[in-house]
Amino acid sequence: MISANLSAIFYLVSGILFILALRGLSSPETSRQGNLFGILGMIIAITVTFLTVGNFSTSTIYVFIFLLVGGAIGAFIAFKIPMTAMPELVAGFHSLVGLAAVFVAISAFKNPAAFNLGFPGDIKLASLIEMSIGAAVGAITFSGSIIAFLKLRGIMSGSPITFPGQHIVNLLIGISIFVLIYFLCSSQSESFFWSMIAISFLIGVLLIIPIGGADMPVVISMLNSYSGWAAAGIGFTLENTALIITGALVGSSGAILSYIMCKGMNRSFFSVILGGFGGDSSVSKDKKKDQKPVKSGNAEDAAFLLKNASSVIIVPGYGMAVAQAQHALREMVDTLKKNDIKVSYAVHPVAGRMPGHMNVLLAEANVPYDEVFELDDINNDFANTDVAFVIGANDVTNPVAKTDPQSPIFGMPVLDVEKCKSVLFVKRSLSPGYAGVDNELFYRENTMMLFADAKKMTEDIVKNI
Amino acid sequence: MEIDPFIFRFSIFILAIFVGYYVVWSVTPSLHTPLMSVTNAISSVIIVGAIIAALAGSSENIFEISSIFGFLAIVLAAVNIFGGFLVTQRMLQMYKKKKKNK
């Protein structure tokens, strides 16, 4: 009903609104407004699509019904999901984008006339390539995200699954996708289309299984990026500006996040992707730790130390998320503040299982965001601080990263907690972190280990202050 | 010589990558989780393709293969759109500044 030119303008507007949505995230104050821009952009895109098709048959009613069914499920999940489950939620959502891309590509393949792409068996070459890429990347995003979801949820073990010849198998499968696309384009045969999708699902699984649990921040960001490229591929097929712009935005956003996460671990993107690193590594180090003396304490000792400090820096990590200790932690900090102790939080870029994981959990526990600092902003303050309270973090505090070139984590930026007068380490055991490296900090003079569940220990400390 | 419309779309795509690059670098690290959930929501704009596919069914046969996949894609994308924006909003509501009443 509205002309193609007019609808193209509206799609451009919604693309720009999506840019503004991301722009808003540059500070928490503007972020809520940014989100509204995003919602507005989406409403415009959907409305314009209805008006462009302009065919208000019975199908329209079904479209609304399915829209509402999906919307209701989405809204229900959004309100019910606990903040600690955010990483798996994001992984799950990525898988849906991927699968939706696959489905749209299938629709376009089966009924190209609806999209002005030609006719079944005679689809325009460029469109065929675009929809194949969209479908393949979408399928990889889907199955990869499902594996990431299962690992994050703990349904599947976080340890890497490797087998001999894995990289060669992956490479061959990757090449075969391109070969199939080539044959699909030359023959327009449906069987090539389906086998290409099937193989893409397979490679998605194979790509993610060798990657260990603690590398998940990179994996999630990478899948985020893939979901964007899949959307962009479909955008080219549909000749839709909103989709192309969004795909490019999301694709580059995910790529940047992957880069930031890799840098936070001082590892190359390829070494993460090739996998085999980390997981539940708590074996083989048992002999070593018996030899060195460790000073351990209880909640009373910790409370004493904290009470007599004048400044404290909290270093949260994945363990805090697992134990859901963020609320107890905030209570502890409130008590400390009442005693005029200066408290701030130090968040390492790769703490947790996804970018910004710790910040969200602290925000949930009502910690003001201006008390939470990034690595570079706070690292010099440790030297003038009385107590570092490390809760559920490990490798990101390991001084070995600065001193031992042999160590697998050498060169990784770490928080200088050892410069504090004393360090309190809440941890369940002495087991090394995901990198499988013993943390030298455990055996230092000024370190006191608090062996307990993070939440329980924090609550006990509050009682004792 | 006429320029293929594909080149125009490709130009938009490349420029949008650059825009994305600069915009995302300016996102504060503490909002990286909301960034992921909102990018999730906006990439579900793929729903426009799903709607076109779903509406393309003829009036005698609303559910043919292509439109069935369209309907399925609508459900998936709708879960993402509502879920993504709402969960982002929920997260962003939690980010509060220090109260200045000391």
Side-chain angles (χ1 to χ4, degrees):
Chain A
M1 280 207 277
I2 56 176
S3 77
N5 287 336
L6 190 58
S7 62
I9 299 283
F10 277 116
Y11 284 133
L12 179 64
V13 171
S14 77
I16 290 169
L17 285 168
F18 291 151
I19 295 174
L20 294 176
L22 299 194
R23 179 74 192 121
L25 290 171
S26 56
S27 96
E29 287 104 84
T30 55
S31 62
R32 285 174 278 265
Q33 192 197 22
N35 200 36
L36 294 180
F37 281 137
I39 296 173
L40 184 62
M42 188 60 74
I43 293 172
I44 291 177
I46 293 177
T47 315
V48 168
T49 308
F50 275 115
L51 294 177
T52 314
V53 176
N55 155 30
F56 294 106
S57 57
T58 6
S59 303
T60 320
I61 300 165
Y62 285 101
V63 170
F64 274 110
I65 292 174
F66 284 105
L67 195 65
L68 288 177
V69 169
I73 299 172
F76 179 78
I77 298 173
F79 286 117
K80 286 286 168 201
I81 191 91
M83 283 300 145
T84 38
M86 214 34 92
E88 53 260 44
L89 178 77
V90 169
F93 278 173
H94 287 156
S95 74
L96 298 183
V97 178
L99 195 59
V102 175
F103 285 172
V104 173
I106 294 175
S107 306
F109 185 77
K110 295 298 277 182
N111 187 1
F115 299 90
N116 286 325
L117 307 176
F119 300 93
D122 184 25
I123 301 174
K124 280 188 275 180
L125 179 65
S127 309
L128 202 53
I129 298 176
E130 288 155 4
M131 74 172 77
S132 309
I133 294 174
V137 180
I140 295 172
T141 311
F142 171 72
S143 53
S145 300
I146 293 287
I147 301 295
F149 175 84
L150 294 176
K151 285 195 172 194
L152 287 164
R153 191 93 204 143
I155 299 169
M156 207 171 133
S157 154
S159 39
I161 300 170
T162 48
F163 54 86
Q166 192 161 25
H167 301 322
I168 298 185
V169 171
N170 286 353
L171 187 67
L172 289 176
I173 296 177
I175 293 170
S176 69
I177 291 178
F178 286 102
V179 174
L180 283 169
I181 292 180
Y182 174 79
F183 283 119
L184 171 67
C185 292
S186 56
S187 72
Q188 302 256 353
S189 151
E190 216 179 305
S191 52
F192 287 120
F193 185 69
W194 294 114
S195 22
M196 180 210 63
I197 291 179
I199 285 189
S200 303
F201 280 128
L202 179 67
I203 186 91
V205 173
L206 291 175
L207 277 176
I208 307 300
I209 52 168
I211 303 179
D215 280 340
M216 279 302 151
V218 183
V219 172
I220 294 201
S221 319
M222 188 183 80
L223 292 167
N224 184 239
S225 180
Y226 285 1
S227 70
W229 304 131
I234 301 295
F236 276 106
T237 319
L238 306 184
E239 310 186 344
N240 183 308
T241 331
L243 206 39
I244 295 176
I245 295 179
T246 314
L249 288 178
V250 177
S252 52
S253 158
I256 291 173
L257 289 178
S258 318
Y259 170 79
I260 296 175
M261 293 301 113
C262 286
K263 222 175 128 221
M265 295 191 285
N266 189 40
R267 301 188 46 210
S268 81
F269 185 67
F270 284 104
S271 83
V272 174
I273 297 310
L274 294 178
F277 192 76
D280 308 324
S281 46
S282 45
V283 272
S284 84
K285 296 268 171 185
D286 298 48
K287 279 173 254 151
K288 215 173 158 190
K289 71 184 172 204
D290 292 338
Q291 296 165 353
K292 291 191 229 165
V294 169
K295 205 164 69 180
S296 77
N298 56 24
E300 261 172 70
D301 306 328
F304 179 78
L305 261 175
L306 286 168
K307 224 173 8 183
N308 291 306
S310 64
S311 54
V312 174
I313 295 181
I314 315 267
V315 181
Y318 182 57
M320 179 189 84
V322 175
Q324 308 241 16
Q326 66 272 30
H327 297 281
L329 182 68
R330 213 280 323 269
E331 250 175 71
M332 186 188 93
V333 170
D334 283 350
T335 325
L336 292 176
K337 278 192 195 152
K338 265 182 223 143
N339 295 323
D340 278 331
I341 299 166
K342 186 175 162 275
V343 187
S344 35
Y345 298 79
V347 174
H348 190 276
V350 293
R353 284 292 186 263
M354 72 183 293
H357 194 181
M358 291 301 121
N359 302 81
V360 172
L361 292 181
L362 292 174
E364 189 204 8
N366 279 322
V367 173
Y369 62 82
D370 39 7
E371 285 176 13
V372 184
F373 296 93
E374 304 300 321
L375 177 98
D376 292 335
D377 298 331
I378 200 165
N379 228 2
N380 293 329
D381 295 353
F382 282 106
N384 319 315
T385 300
D386 296 326
V387 179
F389 188 77
V390 183
I391 174 165
N394 185 359
D395 288 332
V396 298
T397 62
N398 197 341
V400 163
K402 288 176 286 190
T403 51
D404 179 10
Q406 304 302 318
S407 168
I409 59 169
F410 180 72
M412 169 171 140
V414 286
L415 293 158
D416 298 334
V417 288
E418 79 277 7
K419 292 190 179 149
C420 283
K421 291 204 188 79
S422 43
V423 180
L424 290 169
F425 230 109
V426 185
K427 212 171 171 305
R428 271 169 305 182
S429 69
L430 272 182
S431 62
Y434 73 87
V437 188
D438 221 16
N439 195 339
E440 195 193 297
L441 211 52
F442 297 166
Y443 314 105
R444 295 247 173 142
E445 275 287 298
N446 59 349
T447 305
M448 186 195 281
M449 300 298 295
L450 306 165
F451 294 114
D453 173 76
K455 187 176 179 189
K456 194 166 173 303
M457 177 54 76
T458 315
E459 283 165 352
D460 288 348
I461 293 175
V462 176
K463 279 181 213 143
N464 279 293
I465 291 180
Chain B
M1 283 287 273
E2 223 180 300
I3 300 173
D4 190 317
F6 170 81
I7 301 300
F8 285 116
R9 287 191 286 275
F10 190 68
S11 318
I12 294 174
F13 177 65
I14 298 296
L15 290 176
I17 290 179
F18 275 90
V19 172
Y21 180 84
Y22 289 108
V23 168
V24 171
W25 272 116
S26 72
V27 170
T28 163
S30 66
L31 291 176
H32 275 162
T33 300
L35 171 69
M36 301 199 88
S37 60
V38 84
T39 50
N40 221 305
I42 63 173
S43 55
S44 304
V45 74
I46 201 160
I47 198 169
V48 303
I51 294 174
I52 297 173
L55 288 180
S58 57
S59 46
E60 303 90 60
N61 189 5
I62 295 171
F63 296 102
E64 51 191 17
I65 295 184
S66 130
S67 58
I68 288 175
F69 277 108
F71 285 119
L72 290 177
I74 288 178
V75 176
L76 298 178
V79 171
N80 254 322
I81 293 173
F82 283 74
F85 280 125
L86 288 173
V87 88
T88 309
Q89 195 69 13
R90 204 181 126 201
M91 272 191 270
L92 294 176
Q93 302 292 0
M94 300 184 317
Y95 283 82
K96 292 187 193 83
K97 238 188 162 139
K98 207 175 337 191
K99 284 183 217 98
K100 295 236 164 67
N101 52 0
K102 268 204 167 176

